[in-house]
């Protein structure tokens, strides 16, 4: 399936959960926030929420700022 | 010395808060933050680098167990964006604190206070501890508090300008009426600017560029620490009144 991930199109296997996607990307879930189609996914739901073809995903973390 | 800054029941060890932007590298950030003696650092919320997963993370250097992480909504020009970033920050972090920015102008980075007021009200209702970055307008400061702001953070001067407190009288009026802590945020250039803010009676100072942009950021961070301490102490000690003429310090009596 094709996803829009942080603004770019990316190809992933079907049926991935948010947790699976993060694992795939080697992203530690503790320090990020994830949006699927503009909706924030709570950390406790990462195992439950399945991402689908065409979904727009944003994964953010903290960077240096003032 | 029991003179702690408290916001919504959260006790802060330091009255100096520092940003983590614009440093040469994370190691310099770490050293400067440590030298400043702060326990609060601001951070921005941005996309994770998907392609380069080996790149290091700020929080590898700034331990969230040691420092309170204060996310900002820098770069947000609309209420909707500021809300989105605040909610993402809360999910990525561990606290309800947000340094709320709704920017109104690219050149000056002055806040859009209409949007700021609206966003403050919405986020306060959602349980956020909202610390709005605002201009030095006493009426807006009052409105923000009425809308649920936990503190107000008036600017000294435009972000990154280093001009120092351009309107100490407005800051004084904000302080006079404040029912919440007042943290001067943005625009200070050096340690004396920080001391002036504290001497006015401000509860704290938040700065970034003045340290990160200094020739020697780590030494400047230390200078800022002392600026805050000196200013706070002077404020509490109560300065003398300004007089036009001299008042001799040595007695006349006993002179030859």
């Amino acid at each position: 399936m094709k996803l829009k991930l942080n603004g770019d199109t990316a190809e992933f296997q079907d049926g991935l959960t948010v947790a699976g996607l993060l694992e795939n990307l080697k992203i530690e879930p503790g320090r990020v926030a994830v949006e699927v189609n503009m909706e924030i996914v709570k950390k406790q739901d990462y195992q439950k929420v399945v991402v689908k073809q065409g979904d727009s995903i944003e994964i953010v973390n903290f960077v240096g700022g003032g | 010395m029991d003179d702690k800054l408290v916001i919504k029941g959260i006790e802060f060890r330091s009255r100096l808060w520092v940003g983590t932007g614009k440093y040469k590298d994370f190691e310099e950030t770490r050293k400067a933050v440590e030298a400043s003696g702060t326990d609060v650092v601001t951070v921005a919320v941005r996309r994770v680098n998907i392609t380069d997963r080996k790149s290091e993370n700020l929080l590898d250097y700034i331990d969230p167990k040691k420092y309170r992480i204060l996310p900002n909504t820098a770069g947000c020009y609309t209420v909707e964006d500021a809300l989105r970033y605040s909610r993402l920050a809360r999910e990525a972090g561990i606290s309800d604190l947000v340094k709320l920015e709704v920017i109104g102008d690219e050149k000056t980075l002055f806040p859009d206070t209409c949007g700021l007021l609206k966003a403050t009200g919405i986020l306060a209702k959602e349980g956020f501890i909202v610390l709005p970055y605002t201009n030095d307008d006493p009426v807006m400061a009052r409105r923000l508090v009425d809308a649920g702001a936990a503190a107000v953070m008036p600017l000294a001067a435009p972000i990154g300008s280093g001009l120092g407190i351009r309107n100490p009288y407005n800051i004084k009026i904000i302080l006079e009426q404040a029912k919440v802590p007042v943290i001067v945020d943005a625009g200070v250039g050096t340690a004396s600017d920080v001391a002036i803010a504290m001497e006015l009676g401000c509860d704290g100072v938040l700065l970034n560029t003045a340290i990160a942009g200094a020739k020697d950021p780590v030494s400047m961070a230390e200078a800022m620490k002392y600026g805050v301490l000196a200013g706070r102490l002077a404020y509490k000690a109560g300065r003398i009144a300004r007089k036009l003429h001299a008042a001799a310090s040595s007695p006349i009596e006993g002179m030859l």
Side-chain angles (χ1 to χ4, degrees):
Chain A
M1 63 177 169
K2 275 201 172 73
L3 299 175
K4 195 155 191 200
L5 181 61
N6 282 6
D8 293 320
T9 308
E11 187 80 41
F12 289 93
Q13 71 199 70
D14 287 349
L16 269 185
T17 61
V18 170
L21 178 66
L22 291 175
E23 204 186 314
N24 218 293
L25 295 165
K26 297 187 172 57
I27 292 171
E28 169 66 41
R31 289 175 177 178
V32 298
V34 180
E35 253 185 9
V36 177
N37 301 327
M38 299 286 288
E39 292 274 336
I40 290 175
V41 181
K42 295 267 174 205
K43 285 203 167 61
Q44 63 263 30
D45 296 335
Y46 283 1
Q47 305 279 355
K48 279 183 264 172
V49 175
V50 177
V51 293
K52 298 180 297 296
Q53 161 80 19
D55 277 353
S56 181
I57 320 272
E58 294 285 354
I59 307 173
V60 299
N61 63 354
F62 294 136
V63 301
Chain B
M1 200 172 76
D2 196 24
D3 181 33
K4 291 221 171 85
L5 168 60
V6 181
I7 299 174
K8 285 252 161 137
I10 303 172
E11 258 190 29
F12 298 90
R13 199 174 61 236
S14 172
R15 291 178 180 273
L16 174 66
W17 296 1
V18 302
T20 53
K22 299 186 190 169
Y23 284 96
K24 188 178 72 195
D25 51 39
F26 287 141
E27 185 54 23
E28 190 184 68
T29 315
R30 186 191 66 75
K31 282 185 184 154
V33 166
E34 206 171 292
S36 76
T38 192
D39 59 340
V40 181
V41 296
T42 60
V43 296
V45 177
R46 293 294 180 266
R47 281 172 168 163
V48 168
N49 187 342
I50 299 284
T51 45
D52 180 12
R53 291 306 308 141
K54 277 191 225 67
S55 64
E56 290 179 300
N57 186 280
L58 174 71
L59 298 188
D60 295 332
Y61 287 80
I62 303 293
D63 184 357
K65 287 193 200 82
K66 209 164 137 197
Y67 299 99
R68 204 173 282 281
I69 306 296
L70 173 57
N72 67 30
T73 62
C76 293
Y77 281 79
T78 63
V79 172
E80 291 69 30
D81 273 350
L83 298 177
R84 186 183 183 194
Y85 277 71
S86 300
R87 290 164 184 156
L88 281 167
R90 175 150 77 174
E91 190 55 35
I94 39 162
S95 85
D96 298 321
L97 283 167
V98 63
K99 178 194 158 183
L100 184 63
E101 298 183 34
V102 182
I103 302 298
D105 178 61
E106 265 180 55
K107 198 168 172 183
T108 59
L109 296 179
F110 281 145
D112 168 6
T113 47
C114 299
L116 183 68
L117 183 61
K118 200 172 162 194
T120 296
I122 294 168
L123 290 171
K125 281 194 190 77
E126 290 180 17
F128 281 89
I129 300 171
V130 187
L131 314 176
Y133 154 73
T134 183
N135 57 24
D136 54 12
D137 173 0
V139 176
M140 184 46 68
R142 211 166 55 209
R143 290 282 193 97
L144 288 166
V145 175
D146 291 344
V152 283
M153 306 213 291
L155 51 82
I159 294 172
S161 70
L163 289 172
I165 297 197
R166 296 198 305 180
N167 199 337
Y169 301 101
N170 274 27
I171 300 288
K172 262 200 118 96
I173 295 170
I174 291 174
L175 283 162
E176 197 181 73
Q177 62 181 25
K179 288 179 276 181
V180 299
V182 176
I183 317 272
V184 160
D185 176 11
V188 302
T190 187
S192 55
D193 294 336
V194 167
I196 287 169
M198 297 309 292
E199 285 170 6
L200 285 170
C202 292
D203 298 279
V205 176
L206 169 48
L207 56 87
N208 189 152
T209 309
I211 293 178
K215 242 186 235 167
D216 177 353
V218 180
S219 296
M220 187 56 93
E222 197 180 355
M224 293 302 188
K225 175 172 83 177
Y226 293 125
V228 165
L229 292 175
R232 179 68 184 173
L233 212 53
Y235 167 71
K236 291 186 78 185
R239 60 154 296 149
I240 60 162
R242 288 183 172 86
K243 291 184 283 280
L244 185 61
H245 298 123
S249 300
S250 310
I252 301 292
E253 201 188 312
M255 283 194 75
L256 305 180

